Amino acid sequence: MSEPTRPHSRKFLPPLLRFLVPAAIMAIVLTGCTAAPEAPVQTTQSAEKYRAGLEDFSRRMLDLGAPAVLIETRINGDVWSHAGGVRSLGSPAPAEASNSTHIASVTKSMVAVSVLKLVEEGHVQLQDPVTKHLPEFDSLVNPRGAVTVAHLLRHESGIPSYEEELFSSRPIRQALTQKLSLGESLALSKAMPWVRTPGSGADYSNSNYLVLGLMLERLHGRPVAEILRNDVFEPLGMKDTHLTGTGPPPSTMIHGQVEVDGERLDSAYLGAIVGNPAGGVVSTVGDLNTFYASLMEGRLLKPATIQQMQLAPFGFYGMGLLRWKDVCGGFYYGHDGDWAGYRTTVITSADGKRQVAIAITYPPESWDPSAYNPDNPLGPDALYRAARTALDLSC
């Protein structure tokens, strides 16, 4: 059977906004319908090959103008890291693999864990209507039918992505720098057309995870940043991971930049991403591998919950997880995401023993507000292909 077609993508969706839409959704998404090639055997030679391949990828990115490239692999007990470039354009400080970066939509996997913890504790049911926990939901988004918690987790609600209206209704600089509340951001979705009814298919939308963020805050009585810290970051010792706040970025953070109105704008901690449960977490490639390994190993959720999380009724997206066919058997899981000046991809095997995390900053002038281009050599698909190739060599 051929690979599934690309999910619906609306006309206004600049690559800048794919903290927004993961590359893997837009590119090669493999389901169980595709026969896996014969699995390679793990050898010292294969380890040398995947490391050499990732180093080649880093050189290509730097040659194309990417200011920084960060990589960490954890494969069958062997940990390898790499960094190239500088922490910030115009600064001599070299990038280090331990530097923190915006991880954009990878945030969604973490938010999904917090929601599913409430499910395990009996406070929430996956089939609960969202209005049970968030009575103002209907007035915020004008849904086209009953939306459940599971619909939100799997992008099956049909709610339009709020950022399309955000970035088309005001100057780009204002849209990037202005901090809006979750409710204010969600209200923007009412100006966008709905493309499907709840449960009729998967249509990736950041609005789903804004709603989940509001629901978490209502049920816990605390900000999302504190919930994620208590549920995920502190239990796993992810000391370099946090949801963005209003203060200055960490001193060790790599700085992305974008060109807006002919001027360069430092995109670390921009107002639009502060506190955003759809894409606002800052982390390191090491912490990201720790998170996904711990998730797959059952340190965050029960095995039955993880199995539910991994199910993808419409082929590509589970509950906060993307999945791809693993040539070694089963599926890879993870997420990727884009934010202004930043790209990140994390892929892990189902047992958590084979992982690749890649983060880059990209040239400020490379931002193109046109439609998604899978052939962009600096695009998110490039990260996905590099990570996937490394893992396919590491069975």
Side-chain angles (χ1 to χ4, degrees):
M1 183 180 294
S2 62
E3 294 174 7
T5 56
R6 182 192 309 173
H8 175 80
S9 176
R10 301 183 184 89
K11 292 182 179 179
F12 183 81
L13 196 56
L16 171 65
L17 306 185
R18 284 196 299 271
F19 77 88
L20 300 183
V21 177
I25 290 180
M26 308 295 289
I28 307 170
V29 182
L30 300 179
T31 69
C33 297
T34 306
E38 184 177 350
V41 178
Q42 173 76 24
T43 63
T44 300
Q45 186 177 17
S46 68
E48 292 174 352
K49 284 184 178 179
Y50 70 69
R51 290 182 181 182
L54 290 170
E55 288 175 339
D56 286 344
F57 162 80
S58 177
R59 282 192 291 270
R60 288 197 306 274
M61 295 296 100
L62 295 172
D63 287 346
L64 288 166
V69 180
L70 313 177
I71 305 172
E72 187 193 83
T73 64
R74 299 184 185 183
I75 295 178
N76 297 323
D78 181 53
V79 179
W80 175 79
S81 62
H82 165 88
V86 294
R87 192 173 298 167
S88 180
L89 276 175
S91 167
E96 299 178 3
S98 59
N99 288 156
S100 53
T101 181
H102 281 293
I103 65 169
S105 278
V106 182
T107 300
K108 292 179 175 67
S109 296
M110 301 165 181
V111 169
V113 166
S114 283
V115 173
L116 290 169
K117 279 182 174 290
L118 289 176
V119 173
E120 288 187 343
E121 293 164 1
H123 302 298
V124 173
Q125 300 296 319
L126 289 173
Q127 298 310 314
D128 282 349
V130 177
T131 50
K132 177 177 179 180
H133 307 290
L134 203 65
E136 68 271 31
F137 172 70
D138 285 356
S139 63
L140 281 173
V141 302
N142 292 340
R144 300 299 186 267
V147 175
T148 68
V149 174
H151 288 154
L152 297 175
L153 286 165
R154 290 190 173 120
H155 294 285
E156 297 171 8
S157 70
I159 307 172
S161 276
Y162 74 94
E163 75 284 343
E164 297 182 37
E165 177 65 15
L166 172 67
F167 281 83
S168 61
S169 63
R170 64 204 71 197
I172 293 294
R173 182 179 291 272
Q174 179 185 352
L176 287 170
T177 58
Q178 182 180 13
K179 186 182 184 304
L180 299 176
S181 70
L182 299 185
E184 289 170 335
S185 295
L186 267 175
L188 294 171
S189 69
K190 290 193 288 188
M192 303 301 299
W194 283 59
V195 295
R196 65 175 74 252
T197 56
S200 64
D203 188 59
Y204 191 93
S205 169
N206 288 296
S207 297
N208 290 299
Y209 278 74
L210 294 195
V211 177
L212 290 170
L214 278 173
M215 192 181 79
L216 284 170
E217 290 187 339
R218 183 67 50 82
L219 290 167
H220 280 278
R222 301 194 301 274
V224 175
E226 185 178 338
I227 297 166
L228 292 176
R229 184 172 67 247
N230 293 341
D231 284 351
V232 180
F233 307 152
E234 287 187 351
L236 298 183
M238 296 168 63
K239 60 183 178 62
D240 295 313
T241 303
H242 61 275
L243 188 65
T244 49
T246 55
S251 60
T252 57
M253 186 168 183
I254 60 170
H255 286 251
Q257 296 185 24
V258 291
E259 195 166 286
V260 179
D261 301 327
E263 297 179 354
R264 287 186 177 180
L265 176 66
D266 188 320
S267 53
Y269 269 49
L270 288 175
I273 203 70
V274 169
N276 191 306
V281 166
V282 166
S283 189
T284 65
V285 288
D287 273 3
L288 291 178
N289 279 334
T290 293
F291 167 72
Y292 281 104
S294 300
L295 177 61
M296 295 299 122
E297 292 167 358
R299 293 174 56 193
L300 289 169
L301 297 168
K302 298 175 182 177
T305 305
I306 297 168
Q307 289 177 2
Q308 282 188 305
M309 194 178 187
Q310 293 170 337
L311 291 174
F314 293 97
F316 65 94
Y317 204 91
M319 295 182 179
L321 290 176
L322 285 162
R323 74 176 191 180
W324 307 266
K325 192 71 178 180
D326 181 352
V327 300
C328 306
F331 291 95
Y332 296 124
Y333 297 95
H335 217 293
D336 60 1
D338 278 8
W339 172 235
Y342 297 88
R343 291 190 174 119
T344 304
T345 291
V346 194
I347 304 178
T348 185
S349 60
D351 61 5
K353 296 185 183 303
R354 297 159 41 241
Q355 300 181 273
V356 178
I358 302 175
I360 71 169
T361 51
Y362 56 87
E365 63 277 6
S366 71
W367 172 44
D368 179 3
S370 62
Y372 164 78
N373 176 12
D375 297 322
N376 178 4
L378 275 162
D381 288 350
L383 277 69
Y384 163 75
R385 287 191 294 267
R388 178 69 186 269
T389 299
L391 286 181
D392 286 351
L393 287 168
S394 66
C395 294

